[in-house]
């Protein structure tokens, strides 16, 4: 009776909430190298090559304080706090490629490679197209693409047939091509000097 009438809206709301939860795709489990290892590789790509200059822009002292805070938080494995500090720095200086790259690397540590890739691409678009930072941008993009390829491979895994298999093969070929292009772009960041005779 009346009790049933009162329960019906509650039950229908609960079913909507459950349906929404059921329709959201689950976050894929992490596979491959640990995020910390990926960041080590990204930063190693930024090692100085012979003859490269290290040009450091003048920064707002508050931005420098926030960057230092982020480094301390990262060392303590407080990645959310490191991200928040860098987000605050970016609110002050949104077009700083080094800051964007540092935030991208923290996104890797947070296992958010899609965000890391977006930040690295933005940093590359507005930054110098050569040098150590440029290599870190592309190394970050490559790690994101490699993860997407691993997820794609897991989706294929001998289970697909016909049209779905053809589509998967097309996607995988495009992904392999994107990874190869990113590798070439990373190499292009290194300026080689004129040959010496």
């Amino acid at each position: 009776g009346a009790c049933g009438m009162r329960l019906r809206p509650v039950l229908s709301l609960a079913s909507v909430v459950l349906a929404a939860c059921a329709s959201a795709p689950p976050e894929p489990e992490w596979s491959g190298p640990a995020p910390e290892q990926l960041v080590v590789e990204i930063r190693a790509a930024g090692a100085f090559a012979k003859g490269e200059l290290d040009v450091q822009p003048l920064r707002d002292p508050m931005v420098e304080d926030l960057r230092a805070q982020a480094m301390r938080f990262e060392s303590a494995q407080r990645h959310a706090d490191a991200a928040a500090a860098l987000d605050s720095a970016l609110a002050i200086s949104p077009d700083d490629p080094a800051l964007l790259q540092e935030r991208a690397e923290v996104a890797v540590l947070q296992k958010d490679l899609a965000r890391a890739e977006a930040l690295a691409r933005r940093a590359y678009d507005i930054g110098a197209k050569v040098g150590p930072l440029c290599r870190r941008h592309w190394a970050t993009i490559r790690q994101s693409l490699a993860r997407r390829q691993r997820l794609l491979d897991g989706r294929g895994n001998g289970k697909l047939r016909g049209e779905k298999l053809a589509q998967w093969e097309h996607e995988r070929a495009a992904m392999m091509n994107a990874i190869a292009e990113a590798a070439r772009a990373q190499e292009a960041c290194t300026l080689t000097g004129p040959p010496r005779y």
Side-chain angles (χ1 to χ4, degrees), residues 81-127:
D81 291 328
L86 290 171
D87 286 341
S88 296
L90 283 165
I92 299 165
S93 186
D95 294 327
D96 183 328
L99 264 183
L100 287 162
Q101 180 58 37
E102 287 162 17
R103 181 63 183 85
E105 289 163 10
V106 171
V108 173
L109 293 171
Q110 293 178 297
K111 301 182 179 180
D112 188 351
L113 269 76
R115 182 164 193 181
E117 180 181 345
L119 286 160
R121 286 187 185 277
R122 172 160 162 68
Y124 175 77
D125 288 343
I126 64 178

Side-chain angles (χ1 to χ4, degrees), residues 35-112:
E36 292 77 9
Q37 180 58 37
L38 299 185
V39 170
V40 166
E41 290 173 20
I42 289 165
R43 290 177 180 165
F48 283 94
K50 192 174 179 182
E52 280 186 318
L53 296 174
D54 182 13
V55 180
Q56 290 291 333
L58 290 172
R59 285 194 178 94
D60 182 305
M62 193 177 289
V63 168
E64 285 302 288
D65 286 348
L66 288 163
R67 289 178 77 222
Q69 273 181 38
M71 286 173 68
R72 288 194 297 273
F73 285 138
E74 186 188 317
S75 297
Q77 296 192 331
R78 291 169 58 183
H79 303 318
D81 291 328
L86 290 171
D87 286 341
S88 296
L90 283 165
I92 299 165
S93 186
D95 294 327
D96 183 328
L99 264 183
L100 287 162
Q101 180 58 37
E102 287 162 17
R103 181 63 183 85
E105 289 163 10
V106 171
V108 173
L109 293 171
Q110 293 178 297
K111 301 182 179 180
D112 188 351

Side-chain angles (χ1 to χ4, degrees), residues 119-138:
L119 286 160
R121 286 187 185 277
R122 172 160 162 68
Y124 175 77
D125 288 343
I126 64 178
K129 302 297 185 276
V130 294
L133 195 56
C134 174
R135 287 194 295 277
R136 279 165 66 190
H137 302 330
W138 282 106

Side-chain angles (χ1 to χ4, degrees), residues 156-178:
N157 206 18
K159 295 176 280 194
L160 302 176
R161 298 285 180 273
E163 223 174 277
K164 286 188 176 178
L165 177 61
Q167 183 185 350
W168 177 84
E169 286 173 341
H170 175 74
E171 283 178 34
R172 192 174 190 282
M175 185 62 68
M176 296 299 288
N177 188 45

